[in-house]
Amino acid sequence: MGVVPQQWRAAVVDDKGRVERIPYELCALVALRDAVRRREIWVVGANRWRNPEDDLLADFEDNRDVHYAALGQPQDSGEFISALQERLRTSLGCF
């Protein structure tokens, strides 16, 4: 995915094919904000937008089964997805 969305291209690129700086910078800042929110990138030294790996407990890998049991979640991803799909189907069937 590029920095400039299709609907912004006319504002970012002028008739001669040159890039307008201010609209381009706005697109770059919006893309940066979205990436930080998705935690694709993080801010060193920040609390809310820190590296997601830092959120894991230090002993997470050693005690994975204990942590999953405390959360009430299966360790098998297929089992987790199946249960989630079933909950969604049930919820959608209520309408």
Side-chain angles (χ1 to χ4, degrees), residues 44-66:
V44 175
N47 185 31
R48 183 173 183 185
W49 309 114
R50 67 180 175 259
N51 182 349
E53 293 292 324
D54 295 343
D55 292 340
L56 291 177
L57 300 170
D59 67 342
F60 184 81
E61 288 300 324
D62 297 333
N63 298 312
R64 181 180 285 268
D65 54 341
V66 173

Side-chain angles (χ1 to χ4, degrees), residues 7 42 51 58 71 80 90:
Q7 63 267 27
W42 53 88
N51 182 349
L71 293 170
F80 173 79
T90 302

Side-chain angles (χ1 to χ4, degrees), residues 1 5 8 15 30 32 37-38 41-44 56 62 65 67-72 75 77-78 85 87 93 95:
M1 178 177 110
W8 277 70
D15 298 337
V30 168
L32 178 62
R37 286 181 175 171
R38 287 188 305 267
I41 59 174
W42 53 88
V43 180
V44 175
L56 291 177
D62 297 333
D65 54 341
H67 297 305
Y68 274 80
L71 293 170
Q75 289 190 42
S77 60
Q85 288 174 335
R87 284 183 26 218
F95 292 105

